[in-house]
Amino acid sequence: MSEQRNDTKFINRQSFIELNARERAEILFDTGTSRELAGPFDRMESPWLAMQGVTPQADDGCVVMKGKISGQSTVVIALEGAFQGGSLGEVSGEKLTAALDLACADNEKGIRTNAVMLLETGGVRLQEANLGLASIAEIMASILVLRRHVPVICIIAGTVGCFGGMSLAAGLASYVVMTREARLGMNGPEVIEQTSGVEEFDSSDRALIWAIHGGEQRFAMGLADALVEDDAQQMVEAVQSFIAKGVPAVHRSSEIALYRSHIAALDASRQWDPKELRAIWKADVATEDTQ
Amino acid sequence: MEKIEFDYPAQHKVLKRAHVGVVGSGDLEVLLEPLEGDRAHVSIQTSVDGFKDTWKAVLDRFFAKYDGAVRIEIHDAGATPGSVLLRLEQAVEVSQR
């Protein structure tokens, strides 16, 4: 991304991060082609939250929409980060899995259907523990089947980010699109601090968090395929470009030898600088930049 | 968590349903749907217990101006009375769009 940008254009842009899950999903589609499936009036709520004193949400924080992007049939699944941290419970997990599986069934019948996941999530919903964990296993299995037919595109726009089990789902995606504000990681900063101590990771140090989990770093390390501004138009164009690209020749998660050698080459006896990591990891990553 | 229900008299038929808001801290979700007959029914699920009188005051004020025959379902995560009223008015606006 160039340092110089058209400031007027940037100021007048439509923010993507400020949109809620439903608006984010809808804006990606060709105008007027989308419809929501299993929406709030279908009342697929979590049966587990109320018994633990937590108010449920009518769509369980998972929005599923079907429509056309670049004229191609596409399903978009968006997690609402404002509801329970976008966490995956039994119902939201099942909605996500079913959407991917229906897309897969269409592809197997010869009806090409792409998939986009908008992930703003802390991972498993702790109130639904094992059911959430089971959901994430199912989601990963469904992504692995679907990505043989069509690209599975993952967007992490922020500001919740994508953590826990769902970071594994993001890792299986064909393409990952991030913003500078977004974060992607297995264990979030608070979790690392709590389990390994503040000397290991200071979760109040925002510069440190973004230097490790931030979109810019993930893109520079080749763990994300596009870094876009917080701009709805740029997000739409990124999704369209990856749909046009189709299924990648090799998925990042299949590059086992490459990433094993990356990790083997790291000397864990000293502290690495995030910028050094960029130089080592990016050099021979197969996935190409889009920008 | 507390469940609260209210009924109000209503006159106007409502044609469209509306969904606004999110069950996020300090916010709420409102589902508004047409209801047969001449009444409005409100059901509330809130994570904050002991505010039934406040809910009644907010809804009394809302239904002093609004007379749609609707079923309103509220999922509340600790919204202030002001936010509740704004979300209700937003739901009405969306249902009239």
Side-chain angles (χ1 to χ4, degrees), chain A residues 213-265:
Chain A
H213 292 124
E216 196 176 344
Q217 175 73 3
R218 292 313 198 192
F219 175 66
M221 288 178 70
L223 297 172
D225 306 275
L227 181 70
V228 301
E229 300 275 9
D230 171 24
D231 179 336
Q233 190 53 40
Q234 282 193 24
M235 203 58 93
V236 169
E237 284 164 11
V239 169
Q240 290 175 346
S241 78
F242 287 125
I243 283 179
K245 255 185 163 176
V247 179
V250 184
H251 275 92
R252 185 168 22 241
S253 64
S254 302
E255 301 258 33
I256 295 166
L258 173 72
Y259 284 103
R260 276 213 176 122
S261 70
H262 275 338
I263 291 166

Side-chain angles (χ1 to χ4, degrees), chain A residues 20 22 40-43 45 49-51 53-59 80 82-84, chain B residues 1 17-19 21-25 29 31-33 45-47 71 73 75-77:
Chain A
N20 64 31
R22 190 161 283 106
F41 289 98
D42 295 309
R43 292 185 167 78
E45 298 175 1
L49 291 178
M51 44 177 101
V54 178
T55 313
Q57 184 164 294
D59 59 13
E80 176 53 70
F83 174 63
Q84 294 295 319
Chain B
M1 199 183 70
R17 64 190 190 181
H19 170 255
V22 58
V23 192
S25 182
E29 173 184 55
L31 291 95
L32 183 148
E33 292 170 282
Q45 276 188 80
T46 173
S47 53
R71 185 157 88 97
E73 196 176 324
H75 292 148
D76 170 60

Side-chain angles (χ1 to χ4, degrees), chain A residues 202-221:
Chain A
D202 179 356
S203 70
S204 66
D205 186 345
R206 294 171 72 84
L208 172 70
I209 293 167
W210 264 269
I212 289 173
H213 292 124
E216 196 176 344
Q217 175 73 3
R218 292 313 198 192
F219 175 66
M221 288 178 70

Side-chain angles (χ1 to χ4, degrees), chain A residues 30-69:
Chain A
D30 301 347
T31 312
T33 64
S34 66
R35 66 179 198 282
E36 186 167 355
L37 306 172
F41 289 98
D42 295 309
R43 292 185 167 78
M44 292 186 180
E45 298 175 1
S46 162
W48 309 106
L49 291 178
M51 44 177 101
Q52 295 171 75
V54 178
T55 313
Q57 184 164 294
D59 59 13
D60 204 33
C62 180
V63 177
V64 181
M65 281 192 179
K66 181 91 188 286
K68 289 198 159 42
I69 297 180

Side-chain angles (χ1 to χ4, degrees), chain A residues 164-176:
Chain A
M166 288 308 284
S167 71
L168 305 178
L172 293 178
S174 311
Y175 304 104
V176 176

Side-chain angles (χ1 to χ4, degrees), chain A residues 85-141:
Chain A
S87 57
L88 260 285
E90 183 186 16
V91 174
S92 54
E94 186 55 34
K95 282 173 80 173
L96 211 169
T97 308
L100 295 172
D101 289 349
L102 286 172
C104 195
D106 268 354
N107 282 299
E108 279 163 4
K109 278 185 282 182
I111 308 162
R112 188 187 162 90
T113 305
N114 305 294
V116 181
M117 301 183 295
L118 290 146
L119 302 182
E120 292 301 323
T121 172
V124 172
R125 184 178 296 161
L126 298 182
Q127 293 92 338
E128 303 186 24
N130 294 354
L131 296 170
L133 283 169
S135 285
I136 286 175
E138 284 174 4
I139 291 162
M140 292 198 289

